[in-house]
Amino acid sequence: MIIHLKEHLDAAAVERLAGELEAVVVPGNGRAVLVTPAARKTLAPDQEALTDSVFVSDTDMQLADRRYRRETRSIEVGEHRIGGGSDATLMMAGPCSVESREQIEACAELVAGLGVSTLRAGCFKPRTSPYSFQGLGQAGLDLLAEMRERYGLLVITEVRDATHVDAVIEAADIVQIGAKSMYDHGILRRCGSAGKPVLLKRGLATTLQEFVQAAEFILSGGNEDVVLCERGIRTFEPKTRFTLDLCGVAYLKHHTNLPVVVDPTHAMGYAYGVPDLARAATAMGVDGLLIETHPDPPNALSDASQQLDFAQFRELFASLGPVAAAVGRRIV
Ligand code: PEP
Ligand code: MN
């Protein structure tokens, strides 16, 4: 249950009511908002007297529920806006990891040259093995800051654990929470007060309900700018790395008020399938795409099998414009 309280209540009254209802107080500038754990709670007359409006959800979705907020949330990223009726599909492209100055410079030059708004690249990599390349860390963030400045690009980069969450929030235009971190409540809670848009990836073996509930941790912390990213889930099928859940994308678009982005690269795991999946997602009218591209994919230090080379990325990018236009959208 979401309770919008009357304006100008003093903080003590809000805290008292929150305590009585076992509710979370959502920080914000306007009137106080409380979210209770149970779907339905009856309010005593003195509690009702403090209340302006009440939304009762019969699902485990509260602030993300489209019935609570009918319009998709509008999120400003640099000069662009996604969600909230915007026709922009945000292209976030770049290598899996920042590997060297030469490598990230080549990627920045490619995407900026094509008019792509956002450079993606990880600096703190959540690898399956501790013996694999773990990312350049702060040195990678510094290189991204340089590319951002020099090429006028927005930057999305991921936070792997709580030790560097502040450094990533500082450096990024969009903070990415990876699939393996979807359940990291330290990260989720810190991102709730980040003051930057957050792209939350779906965990590899999580239901849509669990995914949206993870987003609720960020929303209930007062950060309204949460973007959901479907990146493939683990199924019984081993021929592709994961299975891109486009049914899930349709569900999230229909039932939540959060912008939805698709990452076909990690879902497929192999470069050959990425362009078709990217076009399929674009035709669904998603709010953004996350695509990996690398100057020399076979020698990439992470995710070598799935990154597009530059020629493949150029070809894909050229093909997306008409698909987006066919559904009344444009790629930025
Ligand atoms: C990535 O974007 O490079 C990444 C590690 O993705 P995921 O969290 O979806 O595995
Ligand atoms: Mn990757």
Side-chain angles (χ1 to χ4, degrees):
M1 183 161 83
I2 303 172
I3 305 166
H4 284 232
L5 297 182
K6 291 216 160 90
E7 278 179 284
H8 311 306
L9 291 182
D10 63 67
V14 173
E15 282 306 323
R16 195 171 52 246
L17 185 57
E20 288 166 8
L21 298 171
E22 295 166 348
V24 170
V25 182
V26 182
N29 296 323
R31 71 191 57 211
V33 175
L34 305 184
V35 184
T36 71
R40 202 175 283 275
K41 265 201 165 117
T42 41
L43 297 178
D46 63 315
Q47 295 172 332
E48 213 159 301
L50 306 177
T51 298
D52 198 38
S53 65
V54 168
F55 168 79
V56 179
S57 174
D58 52 6
T59 68
D60 282 321
M61 218 186 278
Q62 289 91 9
L63 298 165
D65 195 327
R66 188 177 288 290
R67 293 169 306 165
Y68 165 61
R69 200 163 153 159
R70 294 190 183 278
E71 272 269 292
T72 305
R73 288 162 192 264
S74 172
I75 299 183
E76 310 268 346
V77 203
E79 64 188 26
H80 301 288
R81 193 169 66 78
I82 58 169
S86 165
D87 63 353
T89 298
L90 194 75
M91 172 60 85
M92 293 162 273
C96 181
S97 306
V98 180
E99 297 175 3
S100 66
R101 171 183 296 278
E102 296 67 38
Q103 175 248 18
I104 196 65
E105 213 162 1
C107 296
E109 207 170 297
L110 170 81
V111 298
L114 290 170
V116 166
S117 62
T118 310
L119 178 66
R120 67 136 286 146
C123 302
F124 297 91
K125 298 304 296 180
R127 303 308 300 281
T128 307
S129 161
Y131 311 114
S132 309
F133 175 62
Q134 304 292 305
L136 295 185
Q138 183 61 48
L141 292 183
D142 294 343
L143 284 171
L144 285 179
E146 214 178 303
M147 298 307 121
R148 185 177 184 277
E149 189 66 22
R150 174 134 37 104
Y151 293 93
L153 290 161
L154 299 167
V155 161
I156 175 168
T157 190
E158 79 190 274
V159 53
R160 183 189 58 211
D161 59 67
T163 60
H164 55 264
V165 59
D166 291 321
V168 170
I169 290 168
E170 171 79 22
D173 294 290
I174 307 174
V175 179
Q176 176 177 326
I177 301 178
K180 297 183 190 86
S181 305
M182 193 207 83
Y183 275 129
D184 186 321
H185 293 122
I187 292 175
L188 295 174
R189 286 186 193 280
R190 175 64 188 91
C191 286
S193 58
K196 293 268 176 85
V198 175
L199 180 139
L200 177 65
K201 286 192 162 196
R202 182 177 181 183
L204 356 156
T206 58
T207 65
L208 293 164
Q209 188 189 70
E210 290 160 343
F211 184 25
V212 176
Q213 283 185 303
E216 293 279 346
F217 273 91
I218 307 170
L219 295 167
S220 64
N223 189 343
E224 306 237 339
D225 294 347
V226 180
V227 179
L228 299 175
C229 177
E230 162 61 29
R231 48 77 72 209
I233 50 173
R234 181 146 283 160
T235 65
F236 51 78
E237 180 51 69
K239 295 291 188 198
T240 59
R241 192 173 174 200
F242 294 97
T243 297
L244 186 63
D245 182 12
L246 292 183
C247 294
V249 172
Y251 173 90
L252 296 169
K253 274 163 57 70
H254 186 76
H255 287 283
T256 79
N257 55 40
L258 303 176
V260 179
V261 159
V262 166
D263 171 356
T265 302
H266 290 85
M268 185 69 201
Y270 302 98
Y272 75 85
V274 171
D276 280 345
L277 294 175
R279 285 185 286 267
T282 302
M284 289 181 77
V286 294
D287 298 288
L289 290 169
L290 206 64
I291 309 277
E292 286 187 346
T293 180
H294 187 285
D296 182 15
N299 290 305
L301 298 182
S302 57
D303 285 347
S305 64
Q306 67 192 28
Q307 305 201 54
L308 302 182
D309 65 28
F310 287 0
Q312 290 168 325
F313 183 77
R314 278 195 200 92
E315 196 181 324
L316 164 62
F317 189 70
S319 76
L320 288 175
V323 179
V327 294
R329 303 185 63 81
R330 68 200 162 86
I331 310 278
V332 300

